[in-house]
Amino acid sequence: MTDVLGELEQHGVVPVLTVPNVELAGDLADALAAGGLPLAEVTLRTPAALDVIAAMAARGDVLVGAGTVTSTSQVDDAVAAGARFVVSPGLDADVVRHCVTRGVAVMPGVATATELQAALRLGVSVVKLFPAEVSGGQALVRALSAPFPEVRFVPTGGITPQLLAGYLDIPSVLAVGGSWLVTPALLGDRDWHSITENCRQATQTVASTRDGASR
């Protein structure tokens, strides 16, 4: 689990994907890797999601996780398909405990201090802040970081390329979930070049932000 979270932190941005067709998986994975982000959170929002996870995981060069996981059966299905981490939109104690039992990295969604305390009681110290922008954005991350300095956040939801650096500049942010990298329109057009370029720009933002913070 530590290795997975470390890899997410290393890249700084996690592409959040909703993929309607498994036939897109190979080219999509190529585009992500070419842009410097060989990782993905594949949301379980389409019938093809588990097949997409399996296709990407089978390559061996892309770290794949499952998103929008809301039940223990979905955890089992995702892990069987090759998912190495699990992301939930909210905090479900059964899902968290099941992931811990299975040795799978899990990032439950939180939006309040109360939910964050509940996550800590379950032994979780990395959480998804969702929906990030609607809930309070960077100001909320900073506010929650003060009383909970041991927590790392993965803000997701409504974040744009223009907001990315501001989130990454917060020390408690492990990584940022980005759905802007692979939009439905880009997938529909099979615009792999633009997806690669979006990823490349994001990795440049990560590098420049972290270089500035280390000075």
Side-chain angles (χ1 to χ4, degrees):
M1 288 190 288
T2 302
D3 291 344
V4 169
L5 296 175
E7 191 164 345
L8 299 183
E9 181 175 24
Q10 175 188 342
H11 289 289
V13 179
V14 183
V16 179
L17 316 178
T18 301
V19 187
N21 189 329
V22 70
E23 293 178 0
L24 301 172
D27 288 335
L28 178 52
D30 286 340
L32 297 175
L37 290 177
L39 69 164
E41 174 194 328
V42 178
T43 65
L44 301 187
R45 298 181 186 178
T46 71
L50 291 172
D51 289 335
V52 172
I53 290 172
M56 287 188 169
R59 295 166 53 103
D61 62 343
V62 178
L63 174 63
V64 187
T68 321
V69 175
T70 58
S71 69
T72 57
S73 62
Q74 287 181 327
V75 172
D76 291 335
D77 290 342
V79 172
R84 294 181 58 203
F85 63 93
V86 165
V87 185
S88 294
L91 178 63
D92 185 308
D94 289 339
V95 168
V96 172
R97 292 191 188 102
H98 195 59
C99 286
V100 172
T101 298
R102 297 212 53 174
V104 181
V106 57
M107 291 178 284
V110 304
T112 67
T114 300
E115 293 169 337
L116 188 47
Q117 285 186 221
L120 286 169
R121 284 196 296 272
L122 290 168
V124 174
S125 60
V126 177
V127 296
K128 170 184 179 178
L129 185 74
F130 180 81
E133 277 298 294
V134 172
S135 300
Q138 297 169 35
L140 178 59
V141 178
R142 294 185 185 277
L144 290 174
S145 297
F148 302 105
E150 71 274 36
V151 175
R152 304 296 302 280
F153 296 89
V154 181
T156 306
I159 298 174
T160 64
Q162 294 75 25
L163 294 171
L164 177 58
Y167 277 99
L168 292 171
D169 198 42
I170 303 172
S172 60
V173 170
L174 180 90
V176 173
S179 57
W180 80 87
L181 300 162
V182 183
T183 65
L186 291 176
L187 275 181
D189 292 340
R190 301 191 179 213
D191 189 349
W192 312 123
H193 173 78
S194 293
I195 290 172
T196 293
E197 187 58 29
N198 286 347
C199 292
R200 184 174 291 118
Q201 291 176 3
T203 60
Q204 290 172 351
T205 300
V206 172
S208 61
T209 303
R210 289 178 172 171
D211 285 346
S214 65
R215 291 172 185 166

